[in-house]
Amino acid sequence: MIQITGLTKAYRRGRPPALLDLTFDARPGMVTVLLGDEGAGKSTALRLMVELERGHGLTLFDGRTYRRIRRPEREIGVLLPTGRPEAGHPGQRARAHLRMLAGVVGVPARRADDLLEQTRLAAVADHRIGTFSPGMHRRLALAAALLGNPSTLLLDAPTEGLSPSNEEWFGAFLRSFALSGGTVLTTTRAPEEAAALADRVITLEAGRLAADQPVAEFRRTRPHPEVLVRGPQMARLADLLTAQGGQVRRDGGAGLAVSGIDRTEIGELAYRNGILLHELADRVVRRAVAYPSALPGGSGRFGQVSVRTVRRGAARQEETGGETGREGAEREPADRNAAGQPPAAPGTPRPATVGRPAGPEQERPFDHRGPQAGRWAAAALAPDLSVQTKAKAQAASVPAPASPAQTAPAPAPAPPPTVDLTRRAPRGASALGRPAAPPAEPTTAETRAAGARATGTRATETRPVEAVAEVRDGDRGVRADAAEAEHLSANPTDAELLTPARIRGVGRPPAPVRPMPGRPWSAGATGLRPAEPAGRSREPGAADPRGTAPNGGAADDENGSE
Amino acid sequence: MRLMASEVRRLRGVRSTWVVVAGAVAVNAAVAAFTASRLPTGELATADAVRAVAAVVPALPLPLTALAAAVLGALAYGNEARWPGLPASRVTLGRRLSALLAKSLVVGAAALLLTVVTLGVNALAVWLALPAAVDAPTLFDPSGLPGAPFAAGGIGRPLAAFPALVLAGGWAGLLITSLVRSAVVGILLTCALPALLEPTAGLLLHRTGRNWPLWMRELMPFQYGLDFVRSAADRTAGALDGVVAAALLAPAALLVLAAVLAQVRRRSL
């Protein structure tokens, strides 16, 4: 678990900062990819993390900074390019080089030979490093990083300039490393690679965090299909295409990049108008972050990495309608504890900040079930039991100065009826009471499935609602909550809808197709996915707006990943 | 300890180490043999013997062996700075200092070893190359040595000072390179250092009323070079005459020449 908080690299006056307030988490068992252009601050971020450069902000590896770790090589493997292609002194032989580093790390020299085997370098181990190819250099550097048998990998552009087969090898290696429970944080410039490799994609733009997406959402929103057309009469074709409603831009000397119109359509159009084409090909280009995003407000550890979705958030709010109010009511006890009675809760982990909830709030963006959470929890519990338990929990939280983290377990012990719902119960509860640390196992699945829908939505809804909630009287919050619980028990639709068949999205008309439930590793397979799920999830929902749609996806993802 | 072990591995694994050592030994032997073959006939003076065995080349800033040790030290640091195997593991001060300590210990040991080897080879070369006219029974016969080798006129003190000089050369190369992070610059600065230090130290010693001991003078190449050139030219010359000026200007001329030669092979500045 790497917690990166507020990494900032600022230069003197006149130059923009290389990195500004970067905050995210890299979790074990996942591959986290920092995606960004040249100069976006990826390498700077990694170098700041291991404190090779001076900067601001903190990086905690399992709670300690890099300097504090007694033997960092044993816990963190770092692969940072040094500006030279060679992995070591070019006159040294690979085996001697690795054995030397094994001495530095403090592991037996046998480990060096093992790693040479693992990185497919055993055959050339007795040759000088100067004779190696870039891919071999990279593999040797990886072997050096792995010498101490670390549980965390920090890799800076590991596949930069490698052949496809090497790239694939790297990807497979990183995936297996993450699957065995390691934490991988790597950087890349290629969105396709990020989509194929990552569980979580963090996009940097000019040193700022532009997006923090699970890979499913990334795949859905970021790669952008285009058709590349080349030929001698492109100006005329461009006019025709524009008339057809496509977006056209120049691509090189005699080329057009068309989006919005199918390849076959373009071909037919050209044929009908007698335009000669030399090339007509699909391709995928990267699209900038699909929505205007604001900077994360303040240093994210006390708020969250919040990507503000303007368009989608607005749509979502229209769609869910009155849920906002309910959400506010639901949150109110928490806010009362945080802001309303600060001195009464001295030992609680959250500082008494006014205006925004602290600590546990950081889990929010990953918890995409925002508005639905209460309902799901209620549905997961036995219908009659849920009302009382929940009401009791909320009522208990008002007089007692306990933080919501402490009240959270209250609803959880109620035995959930089925296996499938068991998985949901702690999550619903966590969304309800917001414990500081949700159970680890659901988290990974959750994070993967999560922001697929509502990373941004959550953030946009949270702020204004809280502001309102603080102004209000606290008792009203409890009342509203109780009323909501009553409403839930009286209206069992969600509980009904939570049957396994529904969860899989069998009976639903607009079943959202998840692009890649269990991320197969292959760049080709993940290359181009039409953006239909995006369109669908944005539709103001049909008969069942909120219950099952994300649920199906979550269930699929869980099955795929575990 | 493991750092020292890995440093030894690094030193052994790199080709340049062996090239430097072999070159130093070969050149040393050649110089020693050349010096020995030109020794004046008659009884072998201790000073001449020391010069021959130590293979002191006039006008070089350091003895050849010390120069080789300086190169080893400079490369030990420069290579690590240029191709860091695990850059992130050197972040903390303690680890860097311990790495530097391990390097200096290993370089020191290597320098001492190199001294022993070169002295042995040089002695062999001198012994082989001595003209028949020169008789040196007292020097090369252990039993015939003057009672105390460390006495004023003996061969012991210079031979003890020589390893110290080599050691100092190796460490100077390492530490100066640690300041500039480039092996080439480090070597050049190490070469420049004695030419600055020797006259200054000599001047200071002179002011305090003492002088370099004679046996030190033999080994300190800059002074020795001056003496050598002056004795060849004109012993009665004044303090600052053409010879001294030439000795001082020669490095500058050499530098200009080297700069021009370096540009010959380049494609960019």
Side-chain angles (χ1 to χ4, degrees):
Chain A
M1 175 80 169
I2 314 175
Q3 295 171 294
I4 292 113
T5 310
L7 277 192
T8 301
K9 172 79 175 175
Y11 297 110
R12 300 231 175 94
R13 282 169 305 175
R15 290 178 63 190
L19 201 63
L20 187 62
D21 207 9
L22 176 67
T23 302
F24 63 92
D25 290 349
R27 286 151 190 282
M30 293 175 61
V31 179
T32 310
V33 168
L34 273 177
L35 173 70
D37 281 331
E38 188 90 43
K42 311 182 297 290
S43 305
T44 312
L46 255 59
R47 295 177 70 84
L48 281 176
M49 286 170 66
V50 296
E51 299 176 51
L52 272 173
E53 280 185 30
R54 279 165 216 271
H56 303 280
L58 273 180
T59 305
L60 299 181
F61 299 90
D62 291 327
R64 293 159 300 167
T65 57
Y66 190 81
R67 267 170 198 274
R68 290 276 171 165
I69 301 175
R70 190 163 164 72
R71 289 229 174 139
E73 304 92 356
R74 298 280 185 95
E75 301 186 21
I76 301 159
V78 185
L79 170 58
L80 292 173
T82 52
R84 291 172 200 283
E86 297 98 350
H89 189 282
Q92 223 171 1
R93 298 172 201 279
R95 193 186 302 277
H97 174 75
L98 265 196
R99 285 190 169 173
M100 173 194 104
L101 292 181
V104 172
V105 173
V107 293
R110 196 164 15 87
R111 173 98 182 122
D113 297 341
D114 290 350
L115 277 172
L116 284 171
E117 292 280 348
Q118 276 184 38
T119 49
R120 303 190 310 186
L121 286 173
V124 293
D126 288 324
H127 290 259
R128 300 195 185 279
I129 294 177
T131 61
F132 280 14
S133 75
M136 291 153 84
H137 282 302
R138 215 63 65 87
R139 290 207 298 266
L140 186 60
L142 183 71
L146 289 173
L147 268 177
N149 203 2
S151 62
T152 303
L153 278 184
L154 294 183
L155 312 170
D156 192 6
T159 55
E160 188 89 27
L162 294 192
S163 68
S165 70
N166 268 323
E167 247 175 60
E168 193 164 337
W169 181 86
F170 247 97
F173 174 82
L174 293 185
R175 288 239 55 86
S176 63
F177 188 88
L179 277 183
S180 61
T183 313
V184 180
L185 177 60
T186 173
T187 71
T188 183
R189 279 158 61 181
E192 308 85 47
E193 196 194 334
L197 184 63
D199 292 313
R200 186 157 198 89
V201 182
I202 288 153
T203 312
L204 288 180
E205 271 176 16
R208 290 161 171 86
L209 184 84
D212 182 355
Q213 301 165 307
V215 71
E217 183 184 346
F218 176 81
R219 282 207 200 101
R220 200 155 44 72
T221 55
R222 300 294 297 289
H224 180 51
E226 266 188 359
V227 183
L228 180 68
V229 194
R230 284 189 199 286
Q233 295 159 289
M234 282 302 106
R236 209 175 131 220
L237 182 64
D239 288 342
L240 289 168
L241 288 170
T242 318
Q244 291 281 321
Q247 281 105 44
V248 178
R249 63 180 176 82
R250 285 184 75 90
D251 185 86
L256 292 180
V258 186
S259 56
I261 301 184
D262 196 16
R263 186 186 46 180
T264 48
E265 251 179 275
I266 296 174
E268 284 175 18
L269 192 69
Y271 175 73
R272 270 190 269 119
N273 293 281
I275 296 175
L276 177 65
L277 293 187
H278 288 164
E279 184 181 349
L280 181 62
D282 277 327
R283 71 172 180 186
V284 178
V285 299
R286 51 178 312 184
R287 184 160 56 185
V289 180
Y291 31 77
S293 58
L295 287 178
S299 178
R301 217 27 89 184
F302 286 100
Q304 70 243 38
V305 182
S306 60
V307 180
R308 274 178 179 250
T309 312
V310 174
R311 178 162 48 86
R312 294 190 51 219
R316 190 79 201 149
Q317 269 185 340
E318 285 166 20
E319 169 194 341
T320 54
E323 272 181 9
T324 314
R326 191 167 61 78
E327 164 76 5
E330 190 184 316
R331 301 182 58 91
E332 210 163 303
D335 291 329
R336 270 172 51 77
N337 276 341
Q341 313 168 338
T348 50
R350 54 163 51 181
T353 48
V354 177
R356 44 194 326 202
E361 185 60 21
Q362 96 193 38
E363 295 296 330
R364 299 294 296 167
F366 302 134
D367 188 3
H368 72 293
R369 283 169 190 81
Q372 293 82 17
R375 291 190 155 229
W376 286 8
L381 303 170
D384 51 344
L385 200 66
S386 71
V387 186
Q388 284 96 18
T389 319
K390 212 170 138 200
K392 244 182 264 171
Q394 300 290 357
S397 78
V398 174
S403 80
Q406 284 155 341
T407 63
T418 66
V419 179
D420 205 46
L421 292 175
T422 313
R423 308 186 58 91
R424 238 149 278 302
R427 246 188 265 159
S430 81
L432 237 192
R434 269 162 232 114
E441 188 234 21
T443 309
T444 50
E446 213 171 56
T447 43
R448 198 169 296 156
R453 252 172 23 82
T455 308
T457 316
R458 293 290 322 135
T460 43
E461 283 177 10
T462 303
R463 297 277 191 76
V465 161
E466 276 161 15
V468 172
E470 269 160 33
V471 178
R472 263 193 227 149
D473 189 7
D475 288 341
R476 269 190 60 196
V478 183
R479 259 187 278 123
D481 210 70
E484 178 217 319
E486 268 176 33
H487 163 75
L488 271 180
S489 65
N491 178 12
T493 49
D494 283 337
E496 281 174 28
L497 286 169
L498 270 173
T499 57
R502 298 275 179 165
I503 287 170
R504 302 265 183 276
V506 174
R508 279 184 70 253
V513 182
R514 305 298 268 164
M516 293 268 130
R519 301 158 288 105
W521 159 258
S522 114
T526 58
L528 175 60
R529 279 276 153 179
E532 30 145 342
R536 255 182 222 180
S537 75
R538 229 179 282 142
E539 281 173 18
D544 170 35
R546 33 186 190 256
T548 48
N551 221 352
D556 277 352
D557 257 6
E558 275 165 19
N559 294 343
S561 63
E562 280 159 21
Chain B
M1 201 58 216
R2 59 193 170 87
L3 279 181
M4 280 181 65
S6 72
E7 184 60 28
V8 169
R9 276 211 188 100
R10 200 198 60 74
L11 203 63
R12 277 172 45 207
V14 176
R15 222 174 348 185
S16 55
T17 307
W18 302 110
V19 171
V20 166
V21 167
V25 169
V27 174
N28 258 313
V31 169
F34 179 73
T35 317
S37 67
R38 297 195 49 184
L39 281 176
T41 54
E43 180 83 10
L44 182 57
T46 310
D48 285 339
V50 166
R51 264 178 221 167
V53 171
V56 177
V57 179
L60 260 194
L62 279 173
L64 277 173
T65 318
L67 211 57
V71 170
L72 284 187
L75 285 180
Y77 195 98
N79 285 342
E80 184 89 27
R82 200 168 177 188
W83 295 283
L86 295 167
S89 70
R90 302 268 194 239
V91 168
T92 54
L93 177 68
R95 296 166 74 85
R96 268 176 288 139
L97 284 187
S98 56
L100 197 59
L101 184 68
K103 274 185 195 308
S104 61
L105 288 180
V106 169
V107 165
L112 289 184
L113 232 106
L114 185 65
T115 315
V116 170
V117 170
T118 49
L119 279 186
V121 171
N122 287 354
L124 192 68
V126 168
W127 186 59
L128 287 178
L130 262 186
V134 179
D135 54 337
T138 53
L139 287 176
F140 290 102
D141 185 10
S143 62
L145 277 176
F150 288 90
I155 201 173
R157 274 201 215 169
L159 283 191
F162 187 65
L165 200 60
V166 175
L167 200 63
W171 282 343
L174 178 71
L175 294 180
I176 291 176
T177 310
S178 80
L179 296 182
V180 296
R181 300 172 64 100
S182 156
V184 174
V185 179
I187 293 168
L188 288 180
L189 281 181
T190 314
C191 292
L193 202 60
L196 291 176
L197 275 185
E198 271 180 45
T200 318
L203 195 65
L204 282 179
L205 281 178
H206 190 70
R207 280 284 167 81
T208 54
R210 283 162 292 179
N211 270 322
W212 290 104
L214 199 65
W215 51 268
M216 274 302 275
R217 244 182 122 84
E218 305 294 334
L219 288 172
M220 286 299 185
F222 191 74
Q223 282 294 326
Y224 169 64
L226 275 188
D227 291 351
F228 182 84
V229 174
R230 191 173 288 158
S231 70
D234 182 12
R235 246 176 214 291
T236 60
L240 188 67
D241 58 353
V243 178
V244 176
L248 290 176
L249 284 181
L254 272 179
L255 184 64
V256 170
L257 189 66
V260 171
L261 284 182
Q263 292 299 331
V264 167
R265 287 196 56 192
R266 290 193 189 163
R267 299 290 153 90
S268 64
L269 204 62

